[in-house]
Amino acid sequence: MTVNFGEFSEDGREYVIHTPNTPRPWINYLTNGDYCALSSHVGGGFSFFRDHRFNGVLKRDLQQSQNDLTGRFVYLKDEESGEVWTANVHPIGKFDTFEARHGIGYTRIKSSYNHIFANLRYFVGPEADAELWTIHLENRSHKTLSLSVYSLAEFSLGNISLYEGDVNFHSLFNKVEMNEYGFVASHNLWFPKYGWSEDSHPWKHRVFLTTTQRPDKITTDRSAFFGPFRSVVNPRGVEGEYLPQGSGGCTELVGVCQWRIQLAPGAVWSVNEAIGMYHASAGKEPQQIVEKFQFSTTYENSWKAHNEHWARLLSSVEVETPDLDINIMMNVWNKWQLFVNFYFGRAPSYFHKGQYPGMRDCCQDVFGVIPLSRDLAKANLRRIGGFFFRDGQATGGCNRIGLKEDPSLKVDLPLWFVLAVADYLRETGDIDFLNESLPLMDEGSSTIYEKMIMGIERIVRQQGPHGLPLIGKGDWNDAANAVGEKGQGESVWLAEFLCHVICEIAPLMHLKNDAAKLIFYEKRAKELKKIINAQCWDGEWFVRAFRDDGRPLGVKGEKEGYIWINSQTWAVIADIADAERLNTCLDSVEKHLGTPYGLTNLAPAYTKYDHTIGLITGFKAGWKENGAVFSHASSFNVVARAIMGRGWDAVDLFRRILPSSKESDHYLVEPYIYSQFCAGPDAGAAYGQGAYHWLTGTAAWMFRAMTDYIIGVHPELYGLRIRPAVDPSWKSFTMKRLFREATYMFRFENPDGVETGVRQIYLDDQLIDGTLLPLPTQKQHHVRVVMG
Ligand code: GLC
């Protein structure tokens, strides 16, 4: 039986959770794009500024996905009876009523216990790098109560690798200046590496905690607050009489504020608390920054500005299909997830300790955001463009705090940049962007265009034994890292991807009059297609790669991993073969990799470590890249299905990938955002369990799969190409989309219930020829598309 833990609010803008006891902490990200706070539905979580590895603020519990034992907890104590509970419900767990609402960048929790109603709100406002908490209480009992209210935050400042390795040593470097409303803390040990380094100096940021009501006590000493042999479930500072005032001790830094209040029947009480960053570059004294957070109006103004900001950003694209789940996802949650990915790359989630914001991932996140905000996308492309080397190599990571990075051995990375820039240029027509010069990681600078070309050059001229590009230390599939480590292994997927990227850059090369090079690239693409068809076709699907010793990977007859997904999907996207073969590829994918939740990466999963393939074979069978239902790769396949005009198939797969289509009591993770994968059929009883939530390229590809390939409005340099591929039961659907300063209102009609094909297109009531809408001539255009 499926348990109902929550549902979307009617307008889809909130996910409402009815119980604190969800199968996993269900989280949200609260952010202004710089300061980032993760918050579970019970207020667990941690925070950081821009880069979690180097700018930690609130501390993370290493088992957060299960225990959720650090966070923004509010303890309440009845001073008469001595009873203690938490307004968040967890970690103590006592409650009469509970409701949590995750919205766009905020989390609210309403709970009650013994007639005390609590209302908590957490968000990060746009104008300051601070998380803002509001605690509101109401006494609905018949007697006046003496309560103590305690807010608890635990800190891990700066470079968290040290904290994770040696917490007490790390804590020795904290310095705290107390004031009546809170404190300002600094940290005197920081180094620009993840892992210990001698190259240290004080962290340049400071962190403040302040409140709108002077607390009766403030303590920053963790051991004094918790007491020995205790934890967040029973802190001595709350349960006992004794809570020390001030800073002291050499244990970790906490921020605990205590307010003693009297609440008459019916009376309410509120306090706001801010925890945020003071940047030395602001040129002000910390106190000046902090003071404004001692006024409640700051919090309310910030709340208003926050909501307006996101409503504006999310409104650039809106769809209405006959499927409500798709609409909610597309119009609200997918977009929100996209922005979280866009700002923080593969930062920490509750499952993953987090890594650097990867080049490949960042480019795909930009690709997702382009239709929503060209300005943000452009700024990010500029930033990413700074992570290239003269020879066309790219770094693995694109950090946001100005650190140097080394070249990566993942061979596909530079090509993702080409894909994202080409898409940005189609969206904006901002061709001059190609001429912008950006510094190189090694020395000198090069233009955006040169970076794109150099990235292609690296791969286009390589030829392994079959004439395909070398796979080196891995391509899209991070965990297939040993296939070509000896320098001979080749990637079929990379060959396909390269062909696609050459198509993407071709119109730009025309504009740059780079004809000779383009002819060479196109010749190479033709050659690659020939090789792939002649040497990599296994009868019903394409081989995935060739190992160093020349043996193919992903072929019939292998016991494990006989079919891999991406070399089928990208054969379609890159138009590698004739339609019959491409359709056979899609059929094979569904037949061998199809599950009710999406598609697995490969089948069957590997059960023994194989040194000729790599890490992927070390994962448990059915998990991660080793045969899990991998949402990211599945979302590429939605695109491929739509390209082949298989509208029903595309929408069907889209629906299967939707988190809301899964049963929460088995799927376990959030039903309102995509997770990287759920366990595959080879995972036994765990099959279907979701994991690695939030930070995944799925967000970008699902979004674009719907807008550009299913609804089928795809920007080109000189207009919008219309090519819908839908579920034939969709009789009509609409989309609003901004394009080149104009708003387009699309209405699609499908009177004959077809899957694809366009009979007529009316632009502002004028029938147009063909399927390309010309560039806009006014601020708003109405487009009616009749399918058939
Ligand atoms: C993760 C990585 C992504 C990679 C994929 C497959 O999602 O972030 O870069 O392509 O796994 O390995």
Side-chain angles (χ1 to χ4, degrees), residues 424-667:
Y424 166 76
L425 296 179
R426 284 195 297 267
E427 180 72 34
T428 58
D430 178 13
I431 300 298
D432 285 349
F433 187 53
L434 288 173
N435 304 327
E436 264 189 40
S437 183
L438 295 172
L440 289 157
M441 268 279 132
D442 32 10
E443 52 171 23
S445 57
S446 66
T447 64
I448 299 268
Y449 182 69
E450 284 160 354
K451 288 172 203 293
M452 294 162 83
I453 293 290
M454 284 308 288
I456 295 177
E457 287 282 323
R458 274 191 75 71
I459 298 173
V460 83
R461 291 177 196 276
Q462 279 179 3
Q463 302 216 16
H466 294 84
L468 298 170
L470 299 172
I471 191 170
K473 280 281 198 181
D475 55 20
W476 175 88
N477 198 320
D478 273 335
N481 58 328
V483 179
E485 64 179 358
K486 298 203 177 91
Q488 294 293 299
E490 299 160 279
S491 169
V492 177
W493 171 79
L494 183 60
E496 296 171 348
F497 188 48
L498 176 63
C499 292
H500 177 64
V501 164
I502 290 171
C503 284
E504 294 274 293
I505 202 172
L508 306 175
M509 293 181 78
H510 275 300
L511 286 176
K512 298 290 282 180
N513 291 322
D514 222 348
K517 209 172 261 155
L518 180 58
I519 290 170
F520 173 72
Y521 289 179
E522 288 182 333
K523 200 167 140 251
R524 175 74 175 130
K526 238 191 204 154
E527 198 173 274
L528 284 173
K529 287 185 187 182
K530 226 182 195 165
I531 298 172
I532 297 172
N533 276 292
Q535 302 187 49
C536 311
W537 180 245
D538 194 31
E540 287 171 272
W541 59 81
F542 286 109
V543 165
R544 171 62 171 85
F546 292 96
R547 299 175 236 220
D548 280 320
D549 60 11
R551 281 183 300 138
L553 195 64
V555 279
K556 279 187 200 149
E558 297 215 329
K559 279 206 185 71
E560 298 178 342
Y562 62 71
I563 175 170
W564 290 50
I565 189 171
N566 278 348
S567 45
Q568 323 318 324
T569 305
W570 285 83
V572 175
I573 298 176
D575 198 19
I576 294 294
D578 58 42
E580 193 186 328
R581 242 179 209 195
L582 296 179
N583 275 314
T584 307
C585 280
L586 291 182
D587 294 341
S588 299
V589 163
E590 185 57 55
K591 181 165 159 204
H592 298 275
L593 308 176
T595 80
Y597 314 118
L599 307 168
T600 62
N601 252 1
L602 55 84
Y606 292 93
T607 53
K608 285 183 221 63
Y609 200 94
D610 184 335
H611 289 280
T612 65
I613 304 178
L615 261 189
I616 186 168
T617 57
F619 289 126
K620 293 197 285 192
W623 290 88
K624 264 225 147 251
E625 282 93 335
N626 188 16
V629 182
F630 215 83
S631 319
H632 188 184
S634 300
S635 62
F636 294 152
N637 199 266
V638 176
V639 170
R641 290 171 184 220
I643 288 175
M644 294 309 290
R646 295 165 64 154
W648 187 88
D649 277 351
V651 174
D652 171 62
L653 179 57
F654 193 98
R655 280 200 198 102
R656 284 190 269 157
I657 303 169
L658 282 179
S660 52
S661 71
K662 319 238 161 65
E663 286 170 5
S664 286
D665 44 352
H666 186 63
Y667 180 59

Side-chain angles (χ1 to χ4, degrees), residues 216-237:
D216 292 279
K217 265 188 186 168
I218 305 170
T219 189
T220 64
D221 183 345
R222 187 179 193 275
S223 66
F225 175 70
F226 285 112
F229 311 112
R230 285 166 177 264
S231 71
V232 277
V233 178
N234 54 2
R236 183 181 67 176

Side-chain angles (χ1 to χ4, degrees), residues 260-528:
R260 287 172 172 274
I261 59 172
Q262 295 282 318
L263 268 189
V268 296
W269 178 85
S270 296
V271 70
N272 299 288
E273 179 170 324
I275 294 174
M277 312 283 300
Y278 160 74
H279 311 295
S281 56
K284 294 182 185 162
E285 279 306 302
Q287 206 42 37
Q288 284 172 279
I289 305 273
V290 169
E291 259 160 22
K292 69 176 183 186
F293 291 105
Q294 285 159 10
F295 299 96
S296 307
T297 45
T298 305
Y299 295 75
E300 291 321 304
N301 293 340
S302 207
W303 174 242
K304 197 163 163 268
H306 167 84
N307 288 319
E308 284 169 3
H309 171 76
W310 285 106
R312 207 172 35 249
L313 260 187
L314 298 197
S315 69
S316 331
V317 178
E318 280 165 4
V319 308
E320 199 164 333
T321 74
D323 189 313
L324 286 183
D325 288 341
I326 290 181
N327 298 346
I328 286 179
M329 209 54 196
M330 285 297 295
N331 291 332
V332 186
W333 290 91
N334 191 162
K335 291 188 218 173
W336 176 233
Q337 186 177 3
L338 252 177
F339 277 107
V340 169
N341 279 264
F342 175 81
Y343 282 122
F344 301 107
R346 302 303 172 262
S349 68
Y350 264 34
F351 280 86
H352 197 271
K353 127 174 181 282
Q355 56 184 35
Y356 48 59
M359 162 72 65
R360 182 194 297 131
D361 302 319
C362 288
C363 292
Q364 291 174 81
D365 298 338
V366 170
F367 168 67
V369 160
I370 285 168
L372 293 169
S373 171
R374 43 187 284 172
D375 295 343
L376 290 175
K378 183 175 188 176
N380 227 1
L381 282 174
R382 267 196 193 120
R383 200 180 65 70
I384 297 168
F387 289 94
F388 285 84
F389 295 83
R390 181 153 296 286
D391 65 0
Q393 286 201 82
T395 65
C398 313
N399 71 77
R400 291 182 58 190
I401 55 173
L403 302 182
K404 283 265 174 222
E405 304 257 9
D406 294 325
S408 168
L409 298 173
K410 300 280 178 200
V411 286
D412 59 319
L413 304 184
L415 297 187
W416 291 101
F417 186 66
V418 180
L419 189 114
V421 174
D423 191 71
Y424 166 76
L425 296 179
R426 284 195 297 267
E427 180 72 34
T428 58
D430 178 13
I431 300 298
D432 285 349
F433 187 53
L434 288 173
N435 304 327
E436 264 189 40
S437 183
L438 295 172
L440 289 157
M441 268 279 132
D442 32 10
E443 52 171 23
S445 57
S446 66
T447 64
I448 299 268
Y449 182 69
E450 284 160 354
K451 288 172 203 293
M452 294 162 83
I453 293 290
M454 284 308 288
I456 295 177
E457 287 282 323
R458 274 191 75 71
I459 298 173
V460 83
R461 291 177 196 276
Q462 279 179 3
Q463 302 216 16
H466 294 84
L468 298 170
L470 299 172
I471 191 170
K473 280 281 198 181
D475 55 20
W476 175 88
N477 198 320
D478 273 335
N481 58 328
V483 179
E485 64 179 358
K486 298 203 177 91
Q488 294 293 299
E490 299 160 279
S491 169
V492 177
W493 171 79
L494 183 60
E496 296 171 348
F497 188 48
L498 176 63
C499 292
H500 177 64
V501 164
I502 290 171
C503 284
E504 294 274 293
I505 202 172
L508 306 175
M509 293 181 78
H510 275 300
L511 286 176
K512 298 290 282 180
N513 291 322
D514 222 348
K517 209 172 261 155
L518 180 58
I519 290 170
F520 173 72
Y521 289 179
E522 288 182 333
K523 200 167 140 251
R524 175 74 175 130
K526 238 191 204 154
E527 198 173 274
L528 284 173

